Amino acid sequence: MRSRIKTTALAAVLLAGTAGVGAGLANQATAAEPAAGKAKNVIYLLGDGMGRTHVTAGRERFYGADGKLNMETMPVVGQVSTYAVEKNSGQPGAADFHPNLVTDSASAATAWSSGVKTYNAALGIDGKGNLAPTVMEQAHAAGLATGNVSTAEITDATPAGQMSHALARGCQGPTYSAASCQDNAITGTDLPTSDVRVTPIADQIARNQTADVILGGGLSRFDAADESALEANGYNVLGSPATQTVATETDLNGASGQKVFGLFNKGNMTIEKSKQDNPASPEALEPTVAEMTSKAIDLLKAKSAGNGGKGFYLQVEGALIDKRSHANDAAQTLEEIKAFDDAVKVALDFAKADGHTLVIVTADHECAGFNIIEKGTFTNAEADVPPVNKDSGNPANSSTPLRTANQARAAGREAFAPATFRTKDDPASVHDGDASASLWLTYLSGNHTGADVPIFAYGPGSSAISAEIDNTDLFGIVRSALSLDGSGSAVKTASTTTLQAPKTAKAGKKVTISVAVTPAAATGSVKILDKGKVVRTVAVSGTAVKVKVKLKKGKHKLTAQYAGSTSYDPSTSPTVKVHVR
């Protein structure tokens, strides 16, 4: 049985149906841009797997051809490139830059959270495995209230991208395993289990306090030790990881306090269509992403008000758009788009009333090549032969398209037929599944694509979002909006770093080294050096961190260097001499 890895100071690892079709359209209007200036709050909403066609299909399904989703009423509109890189790649522009044109959710989350390109499956590190701080870690260190909401497991790629650092996204917990957590293609050999990059994501989230409000699914990733750690850090824990009792909507409605942790399903939260089809099921009582967003805003606003009005940063993910697109279930996908857009409305309504909130709505990647095809037509997967290119008016334009030899068609393609849905514009006699329904939807595959994704924005700082940006640009845009880049910051506070180690040690035995940084709010990363050479990088979060290091026989000079943060200056400890005999 593999033992669970527990690290006492993982905090801030690096831092420094058709029901409702057309409903609500009368209340929609294009959102006017508020006065320019710095934002106090940022709400970043992410429709996982949501491509441009997902948005169009959602609009036509629920609001009609001439309607708009709430996100489409926002005044700033653009598109985002989403490519990742291969393992051990440098960043764009470097000689060793090797792009991967189709990203996964982990590398995409790292791009906007940390501003670096990385390989698929990596979180909070660059393509070579180096730790990269996240916006949410920086916001937390600067004293802002922070929140993370998702309809997926909270340890899954998108929410984890703001609160953890991992060589492999599968290292979620509750237990450590080398197969899930290590990646020798990046590190050469297995890292010690004290290294945050191989610490289960659930362990990190339960201990690093990066997010004050954590709402979503994934209770089975956490256990009794995690519950104790959360409560020790001041969280109001809804339900119980110890007994695997999921939180309820009633728990959410009654939740209060500056820190709240609530997971409403042991796995991913339940899709909206299932809740509609099974209204008496326990899952139907789970809160919607809009309800979680509303509660998170209330909690974060209250914490900000009690903390000098520094503001808040909230990330919200509609995760099941992607997961149902992978499954090629258009009916489920459409309902998830609507549910996510309802959360957008919650954020947008708050921003309009507040006047100091930047709202960004985008996606991490497109999923499955979702498409709207002409009524009465069919997909290539159903065709007897692929489309041909013959231009009888100008034969010079004719060609035989290049296709790989394995593009072979098997018999019986009915499973790939389009899914048809009625829209607001259809007569009442038209039903979902009818050939006469207006909206014909298909999928290209069951996987991600490399298409650019849409972005919508409203509020102070939204002008920084141009028509075409890369996903890494969003890191700087959010940091600037919240003045985390120093553009609106006060003078940094001095920090003090200390290192303790025994004066003598026995050869062949590991030496216990203790590192601490004060004030306690000075969280982030510390490098332990031996005669100037880095031997270990650790995370600090208000308490001393103890690590064991194997030193060669001889005399050593150890120092600890704190990297600093957006609020605290770097500092270096006095040198400690250790003689290994």
Side-chain angles (χ1 to χ4, degrees), residues 430-499:
V430 174
H431 300 91
D432 291 351
D434 290 353
S436 56
S438 296
L439 188 59
W440 284 51
L441 298 174
T442 69
Y443 292 91
L444 177 66
S445 76
N447 299 305
H448 301 168
T449 72
D452 288 358
V453 294
I455 187 167
F456 309 90
Y458 169 90
S462 60
S463 59
I465 298 173
S466 60
E468 175 68 38
I469 61 174
D470 185 69
N471 53 8
T472 54
D473 295 328
L474 289 161
F475 173 73
I477 290 169
V478 172
R479 288 183 74 239
S480 178
L482 293 174
S483 300
L484 298 175
D485 58 353
S487 58
S489 301
V491 176
K492 292 185 179 182
T493 303
S495 68
T496 301
T497 301
T498 58
L499 181 150

Side-chain angles (χ1 to χ4, degrees), residues 546-567:
K546 292 184 179 181
V547 294
K548 292 185 177 182
V549 177
K550 193 169 184 179
L551 301 175
K552 294 180 180 180
K553 190 174 182 179
K555 295 181 179 180
H556 300 265
K557 295 181 178 180
L558 303 179
T559 55
Q561 289 184 352
Y562 170 55
S565 70
T566 53
S567 301

